Amino acid sequence: MNYFQREYRWGQKQIEQMLDAFQSTFEEFYDPEKHDTPEEVAGYGYYYMRCIICTGDSVKKIIDGQQRLISLTLLLIYLNHLQKKNVKNEDGHCQFLCVNKSFR
């Protein structure tokens, strides 16, 4: 973290706002008839989390968006652990979505 970055300060309110926004966007595009394959899910709409601003240096440094990135990363880590705990079949894991090129 750069010296000019503030400490992580998101609390319950900001996390709930982010999750509510994710949920409402998901519900807008969710089709109960088409959600079983990556190809079907790829047709869902996107949620725009605003810009992430980085320096132009060879090693990129985040100037704006740090709180959102950290919160999203923590959410993905939590969901990954929860999934590993509750889903016994490896094919049921959605971990591939985070690294699948078609979802980037």
Side-chain angles (χ1 to χ4, degrees):
M1 183 178 337
N2 289 310
Y3 68 91
F4 56 82
Q5 289 290 353
R6 63 185 169 137
E7 294 181 10
Y8 182 75
R9 293 194 179 142
W10 270 29
Q12 184 174 343
K13 177 184 174 186
Q14 291 83 5
I15 298 296
E16 286 177 355
Q17 288 173 338
M18 181 180 72
L19 293 175
D20 288 345
F22 288 166
Q23 181 178 355
S24 63
T25 301
F26 173 78
E27 288 174 351
E28 181 180 340
F29 294 101
Y30 176 69
D31 182 348
E33 303 297 321
K34 296 181 178 179
H35 68 272
D36 293 329
T37 67
E39 293 77 24
E40 292 170 334
V41 175
Y44 284 16
Y46 294 93
Y47 176 73
Y48 177 66
M49 288 187 67
R50 300 186 10 218
C51 294
I52 305 296
I53 300 174
C54 300
T55 63
D57 303 336
S58 60
V59 175
K60 304 291 184 213
K61 297 175 185 144
I62 300 168
I63 295 174
D64 183 42
Q66 172 195 13
Q67 305 287 309
R68 284 173 277 142
L69 285 175
I70 290 172
S71 299
L72 182 60
T73 301
L74 291 172
L75 174 63
L76 291 172
I77 290 168
Y78 170 76
L79 292 174
N80 187 44
H81 286 289
L82 187 64
Q83 179 179 261
K84 286 179 180 178
K85 177 180 169 185
N86 294 315
V87 177
K88 304 299 180 209
N89 179 356
E90 286 288 324
D91 292 337
H93 286 193
C94 63
Q95 184 176 8
F96 74 93
L97 295 176
C98 295
V99 295
N100 189 312
K101 289 183 182 178
S102 64
F103 288 97
R104 288 185 186 173

